[in-house]
């Protein structure tokens, strides 16, 4: 018991020290970071059973596959002393991965906070039980619409009635869980379904221990122009602002490929591969340092970044729990407040 207590204190100190080093490196405009990524976005798989109208998967040319559990363990083993939060989702439905719950368990073994987003199509009885017992910190259920007609416009290929039934069963069971995650029912803000938002909120209002989120639309940093038509108001890029992502996090595909952020859905900027490199070597490798230098000079020189609306942060903002350098707290602030 005492060993666990002191281990928790030691880990908290390491995380705090790493966060301070990251913030200082970001504020001081250093291309060689003094810290290591505090958040990892890890893609268990890029296979998905839906064809959502706001998702760029139909533009994706990379292969479909599943991350090997041994590779996931390597990632966690290398990062357990400095990563505060991992997000097990990118461009696929994670519940299709046979080792998903082993991944969650392995990360939680090292007291890493874990978030998961699912389209809820695979909420079988077995998966519900595993989710309820997984000790997740954040679970996002991306439903989008409260009716079959509206749902079919957005989440092409899903059966809303079946999904809603399973979600209700899951939420009822959640009430009996002692150490429950923050649970979010999410809907994307699109012109075609905006009239459904109040109904969506009302339908699940009885579940007072969950959060209902109307999430802002993303055009994937301007990479997919044909989905801009989904919202009337265009997303305005913020030019010549230093993005925080190259100083705080990494995104890892199922095959170990490392890219700068979640907007990079098809390997626009490959920083390395964790199969044959370490996270630390990639984090301060030549390609990552060059990316930081470009952000410091002029991010519009980077095709992936020039149309991204990401904004910079001041020193004071970086030290607030809602800043990107407090990844779990930032997620809770964004999704749950």
């Amino acid at each position: 018991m005492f060993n666990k207590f002191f281990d928790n204190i030691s880990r908290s100190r390491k995380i705090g020290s790493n966060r301070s080093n990251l913030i200082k490196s970001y504020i001081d405009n250093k291309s060689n970071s003094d810290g290591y990524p505090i958040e990892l976005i890890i893609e268990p798989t890029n296979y998905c059973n839906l064809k959502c109208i706001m998702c760029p998967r139909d533009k994706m040319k990379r292969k479909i596959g599943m991350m090997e559990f041994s590779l996931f363990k390597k990632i966690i083993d290398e990062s357990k002393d400095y990563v505060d939060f991992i997000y097990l989702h990118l461009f696929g439905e994670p519940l299709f991965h046979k080792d998903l719950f082993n991944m969650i368990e392995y990360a939680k073994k090292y007291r890493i906070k874990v978030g998961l987003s699912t389209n809820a199509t695979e909420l079988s009885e077995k998966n519900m039980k595993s989710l309820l017992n997984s000790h997740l910190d954040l679970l996002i259920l991306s439903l989008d619409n409260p009716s079959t007609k509206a749902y079919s416009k957005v989440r092409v290929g899903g059966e809303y009635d079946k999904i809603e039934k399973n979600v209700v069963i899951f939420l009822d069971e959640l009430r009996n869980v002692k150490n429950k995650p923050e649970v979010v029912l999410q809907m994307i803000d699109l012109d075609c379904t905006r009239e459904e938002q109040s109904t969506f909120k009302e339908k699940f209002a009885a579940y007072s221990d969950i959060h209902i989120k109307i999430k802002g639309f993303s055009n994937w940093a301007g990479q997919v122009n044909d989905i801009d038509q989904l919202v009337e108001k265009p997303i305005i890029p913020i030019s010549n602002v230093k993005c925080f992502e190259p100083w705080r996090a990494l995104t890892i595909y199922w095959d170990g490929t490392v890219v700068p952020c979640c907007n990079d859905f098809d390997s626009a900027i490959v920083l390395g591969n964790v199969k044959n490199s370490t996270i630390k070597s990639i984090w301060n490798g030549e390609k990552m340092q060059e990316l930081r230098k470009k952000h410091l000079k002029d991010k519009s020189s980077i095709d992936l970044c020039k149309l991204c609306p990401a904004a910079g942060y001041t020193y004071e903002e970086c030290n607030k729990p809602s800043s990107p350098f407090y990844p779990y707290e930032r997620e809770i602030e964004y999704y749950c407040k």
Side-chain angles (χ1 to χ4, degrees):
M1 180 177 177
F2 287 105
N3 287 339
K4 184 177 181 180
F5 174 76
F6 287 114
D7 284 347
N8 287 338
I9 291 178
S10 176
R11 172 168 166 77
S12 295
R13 286 176 175 171
K14 288 178 181 178
I15 295 296
S17 176
N18 184 54
R19 180 183 291 113
S20 296
N21 289 336
L22 290 177
I23 292 173
K24 191 173 188 303
S25 296
Y26 173 76
I27 298 299
D28 291 348
N29 297 329
K30 298 186 70 171
S31 62
N32 188 74
S33 175
D34 291 330
Y36 297 104
I38 203 162
E39 177 179 337
L40 295 176
I41 298 174
I42 303 174
E43 180 182 73
T45 179
N46 61 341
Y47 170 78
C48 189
N49 56 333
L50 299 184
K51 294 183 179 180
C52 302
I53 60 174
M54 64 287 188
C55 180
R57 286 190 76 259
D58 63 336
K59 311 290 184 185
M60 189 171 65
K61 297 178 181 178
R62 56 191 177 96
K63 292 181 179 179
I64 305 297
M66 304 274 178
M67 178 174 282
E68 296 177 359
F69 185 51
S70 58
L71 178 59
F72 179 83
K73 290 175 67 176
K74 178 181 185 293
I75 293 168
I76 298 301
D77 289 345
E78 289 181 7
S79 62
K80 64 182 184 294
D81 289 333
Y82 50 82
V83 164
D84 186 28
F85 179 70
I86 64 169
Y87 192 46
L88 285 174
H89 173 73
L90 191 57
F91 290 102
E93 171 47 54
L95 285 176
F96 280 109
H97 199 294
K98 64 181 180 65
D99 288 317
L100 177 67
F101 297 105
N102 291 329
M103 291 176 172
I104 296 171
E105 181 182 11
Y106 195 76
K108 295 302 296 180
K109 172 184 174 182
Y110 295 106
R111 294 176 294 282
I112 297 172
K113 301 181 186 74
V114 182
L116 177 71
S117 179
T118 172
N119 62 28
T121 59
E122 297 303 302
L123 273 185
S124 63
E125 183 178 350
K126 179 182 177 181
N127 282 339
M128 284 188 208
K129 184 176 180 181
S130 296
L131 281 171
L132 292 168
N133 294 325
S134 66
H135 301 292
L136 271 173
D137 296 281
L138 176 65
L139 174 63
I140 301 169
L141 302 172
S142 297
L143 298 186
D144 268 307
N145 293 285
S147 70
T148 301
K149 183 179 179 181
Y151 183 87
S152 63
K153 294 179 183 178
V154 178
R155 302 238 165 210
V156 180
E159 301 176 44
Y160 180 78
D161 292 339
K162 176 184 175 182
I163 294 168
E164 184 189 274
K165 179 182 177 181
N166 289 338
V167 166
V168 168
I169 293 172
F170 177 79
L171 294 179
D172 287 338
E173 291 294 325
L174 185 69
R175 288 169 166 165
N176 302 317
V177 176
K178 183 177 180 181
N179 297 315
K180 65 186 66 178
E182 298 282 354
V183 174
V184 180
L185 262 62
Q186 180 174 282
M187 182 177 185
I188 306 295
D189 184 21
L190 302 173
D191 289 351
C192 66
T193 58
R194 195 156 293 145
E195 293 180 358
E196 304 282 348
Q197 291 179 9
S198 58
T199 305
F200 181 72
K201 293 176 180 179
E202 291 167 5
K203 178 167 280 192
F204 298 99
Y207 295 96
S208 58
D209 54 347
I210 68 169
H211 310 274
I212 298 176
K213 175 72 176 180
I214 308 300
K215 183 183 178 183
F217 169 79
S218 170
N219 69 352
W220 306 102
Q223 295 178 91
V224 188
N225 295 325
D226 58 353
I227 63 174
D228 283 345
Q229 61 187 305
L230 299 176
V231 290
E232 182 179 352
K233 185 178 180 180
I235 298 173
I236 307 299
I238 303 174
S239 61
N240 298 322
V241 175
K242 179 180 60 176
C243 178
F244 48 80
E245 284 296 325
W247 281 268
R248 65 171 288 276
L250 288 175
T251 295
I252 306 174
Y253 294 160
W254 67 268
D255 64 353
T257 299
V258 180
V259 294
C261 75
C262 62
N263 281 319
D264 193 346
F265 62 86
D266 206 29
S267 309
I269 301 176
V270 174
L271 301 170
N273 192 299
V274 289
K275 279 187 175 180
N276 48 39
S277 298
T278 65
I279 292 176
K280 285 185 175 181
S281 65
I282 293 172
W283 180 246
N284 274 324
E286 182 179 346
K287 291 182 179 179
M288 189 58 156
Q289 289 201 50
E290 183 62 27
L291 180 67
R292 293 185 185 121
K293 289 175 182 177
K294 287 182 178 179
H295 270 274
L296 294 172
K297 186 176 181 180
D298 181 10
K299 80 169 189 178
S300 65
S301 65
I302 311 168
D303 287 341
L304 175 68
C305 308
K306 63 184 178 183
L307 296 178
C308 182
Y313 279 69
T314 64
Y315 181 81
E316 290 75 17
E317 289 169 335
C318 284
N319 282 284
K320 292 180 179 179
S322 58
S323 90
F325 291 95
Y326 290 73
Y328 176 66
E329 290 84 351
R330 188 270 301 267
E331 296 290 334
I332 298 303
E333 177 84 13
Y334 178 73
Y335 283 105
C336 304
K337 300 297 184 183

